[in-house]
Amino acid sequence: SLRLTYPRQYRAEGDTLRFTAEGDKAVRAIGFTTPNVRVVDITDPLNVSEVAVTVEPMRDIEGEGYAVIVAPGGRDLTRTLYAYAAAGAARVEAANANQPSGWHESREADFVIVTHGSFREATGPLAARRTAEGLKTEVVDIEDLYDEFSAGAHTPQAVKDFLAWTAQNWARAPRYVLLVGDGSYDPRDYTARGAFDLVPAKLLDTTYMETASDNWYADFDGDGLSEMAVGRLPVRTAAEAAIVLSKITGHEPGGEQAAALMVADRKGADGYDFETATTQVQNLLPAAFSVQRVNRGAQGAEAVRAQIVNGINSGPSIVNWMGHGSVGVWTGEGLLRGEDAARLTNGSRLPLFVMMTCLNGYYQDPSLESLSESLLKAGQGGALAVWTSTGMTEPEGQAAMNRELFGALFGGTGPLRLGEAMQRARTATSDADVRRTWVLIGDPTTRVR
Ligand SMILES: [Ca+2]
Ligand SMILES: [Ca+2]
Ligand SMILES: [Ca+2]
């Protein structure tokens, strides 16, 4: 065999260099643009230490710049070193004192609100109101769940592990969970569009795409049905939280009009008959309901848009859409659009929107707002709550779930809270993607009648 030994030059790139040195031999590394260079011994990543260096200008033959000379220590071992320009080192952005919490202790709750710290105060009136209604409510800071359940790491698993813990160990486990804070598919803000993973979004692979599933947090056996009813208020600021929470706490169940706006897309290239499916849902409304029906049909898009916007402005208690859609729109023609939300004038007559379509619930994009979010956050009206999908799914399972929801809400079993009605509705389909991607953009303890 042949052993070839040759000297190798250590030259920094971008004022950093990772290199090795024998403990007892001095090593010279060149190519730094500044004399202010620090070297750390990273051989054991759990025991990093700074190494003393000598810095000198590079020799003429080496070019312009500075060289560092290092002798890591008397030991024989090969050491791994990292040299960097001190000014280029990343800084710790913030260090906050820990707030102690005790969520591992056995407690009793019917409802838990898991909130980002910025919205904690805003959740107070909702917690007080539900407690007065007989639902024992706990407000949990998401930071404390990271502390207690994921060793401080920002991860959706902390929320799931907390809820699973309550199911196993609390004297009474919650039936309803409200997440207060937007989520993002870019929790570390690699794309520099803003750090909006305030209460983490859990991303799952579905047939057509990767998307968020809030149901996942309380689905302990992985069958797509959650064991607690989960909703989310995807707010980013205290001002948004105040608007949304005042809509929810200001809502009086039973006070709304017995009216429904039922909107159906026309039969598309895929051949699905949205009109017939909508009629089947509509037939489940109580006889006392006044129904406004809008069929996309052969009408001009602008005429349909006007009927929809006017229909919402009349303040029905429920708005139901079956048809095509994307993140911010109903159909490619935009029969209803995110930008319509802020102009809605239905005031305090706030409907539940049931949107059986694609992507209207895609709340996790840091730079786009989904239609469900625009409707929930609208200040002069819009939605009380929205039930829709973060993903792309087939209409058959959606329609089955839509019928079951109306049965649960209006079928005479007494007033159900939204979360309970939606739990029941999901059991009507075995389509795993429909079950997992439907999100309640709203509060699961809200009652619509
Ligand atoms: Ca803490
Ligand atoms: Ca389950
Ligand atoms: Ca969002």
Side-chain angles (χ1 to χ4, degrees):
S1 72
L2 178 72
R3 170 173 290 206
L4 193 62
T5 313
Y6 60 95
R8 182 180 157 203
Q9 191 178 52
Y10 284 151
R11 181 182 282 269
E13 277 178 13
D15 273 333
T16 63
L17 183 69
R18 189 178 186 278
F19 59 105
T20 57
E22 303 306 319
D24 54 349
K25 294 192 190 82
V27 163
R28 190 161 181 281
I30 62 172
F32 295 92
T33 61
T34 163
N36 194 6
V37 175
R38 298 174 76 175
V39 177
V40 282
D41 184 334
I42 58 170
T43 312
D44 175 3
L46 296 178
N47 188 18
V48 171
S49 59
E50 186 157 8
V51 178
V53 295
T54 308
V55 182
E56 62 183 28
M58 282 156 60
R59 295 165 193 144
D60 287 348
I61 195 170
E62 294 168 333
E64 290 264 314
Y66 296 89
V68 296
I69 297 150
V70 191
R75 282 173 296 176
D76 234 2
L77 299 167
T78 300
R79 313 301 298 173
T80 303
L81 304 175
Y82 186 76
Y84 61 97
R91 283 164 211 290
V92 173
E93 218 161 72
N96 300 319
N98 176 45
Q99 301 291 330
S101 60
W103 299 114
H104 277 88
E105 294 157 16
S106 180
R107 295 178 185 232
E108 296 184 4
D110 302 293
F111 180 30
V112 293
I113 300 175
V114 176
T115 183
H116 186 269
S118 333
F119 316 126
R120 194 189 170 100
E121 258 186 62
T123 64
L126 177 62
R129 177 161 176 173
R130 295 299 181 246
T131 302
E133 291 169 12
L135 288 184
K136 186 159 183 332
T137 303
E138 294 277 11
V139 179
V140 181
D141 190 316
I142 184 73
E143 201 66 38
D144 288 331
L145 297 188
Y146 301 147
D147 291 345
E148 286 199 39
F149 291 89
S150 62
H154 178 121
T155 163
Q157 192 69 43
V159 180
K160 185 168 198 168
D161 289 351
F162 161 63
L163 294 176
W165 177 268
T166 68
Q168 292 285 320
N169 299 286
W170 279 19
R172 188 161 86 248
R175 286 174 287 143
Y176 305 99
V177 180
L178 176 62
L179 312 173
V180 183
D182 204 359
S184 169
Y185 60 63
D186 181 15
R188 292 175 190 267
D189 195 24
Y190 290 133
T191 55
R193 290 183 294 169
F196 295 119
D197 200 43
L198 304 177
V199 172
K202 172 62 186 179
L203 302 179
L204 293 179
D205 289 329
T206 66
T207 304
Y208 295 117
M209 62 186 293
E210 179 187 74
T211 196
S213 173
D214 282 352
N215 226 28
W216 172 88
Y217 288 101
D219 179 10
F220 307 126
D221 56 8
D223 65 354
L225 300 172
S226 61
E227 276 66 69
M228 300 166 181
V230 183
R232 178 186 293 260
L233 309 181
V235 293
R236 292 183 174 182
T237 63
E240 286 180 356
I243 289 172
V244 170
L245 280 153
S246 76
K247 286 165 86 169
I248 293 167
T249 48
H251 173 74
E252 291 301 331
E256 60 277 289
Q257 300 190 80
L261 172 65
M262 305 292 296
V263 191
D265 203 352
R266 64 184 165 206
K267 200 181 278 190
D270 51 20
Y272 189 77
D273 187 348
F274 295 107
E275 286 187 21
T276 300
T278 299
T279 302
Q280 288 168 355
V281 173
Q282 188 173 322
N283 288 341
L284 297 166
L285 284 166
F289 260 62
S290 83
V291 178
Q292 189 189 348
R293 174 68 182 259
V294 176
N295 289 332
R296 168 70 186 88
Q299 305 182 74
E302 282 309 310
V304 180
R305 265 179 66 66
Q307 289 165 37
I308 293 169
V309 170
N310 293 339
I312 297 169
N313 283 338
S314 73
S317 50
I318 193 155
V319 175
N320 202 90
W321 163 248
M322 276 191 177
H324 293 279
S326 187
V327 176
V329 287
W330 288 355
T331 79
E333 291 158 312
L335 298 182
L336 184 65
R337 304 167 188 171
E339 70 246 37
D340 294 331
R343 293 196 292 268
L344 292 170
T345 56
N346 53 310
S348 61
R349 291 180 301 175
L350 295 166
L352 163 67
F353 283 73
V354 178
M355 312 204 295
M356 294 293 162
T357 183
C358 293
L359 293 168
N360 275 185
Y362 193 84
Y363 67 79
Q364 70 269 27
D365 192 311
S367 51
L368 288 180
E369 191 167 84
S370 63
L371 182 58
S372 57
E373 295 175 285
S374 303
L375 289 167
L376 185 75
K377 293 182 195 174
Q380 310 302 319
L384 174 64
V386 185
W387 199 43
T388 189
S389 180
T390 60
M392 296 166 68
T393 61
E394 301 294 338
E396 289 78 10
Q398 303 173 14
M401 210 165 62
N402 201 167
R403 290 191 300 273
E404 187 69 26
L405 178 74
F406 273 46
L409 286 176
F410 307 113
T413 52
L416 290 179
R417 295 185 190 272
L418 282 184
E420 224 173 332
M422 286 158 195
Q423 296 285 84
R424 239 178 78 179
R426 280 182 219 268
T427 63
T429 179
S430 55
D431 184 325
D433 290 352
V434 170
R435 284 180 167 187
R436 295 182 301 168
T437 68
W438 246 259
V439 283
L440 175 61
I441 301 298
D443 158 37
T445 62
T446 293
R447 283 190 319 202
V448 292
R449 59 193 281 269

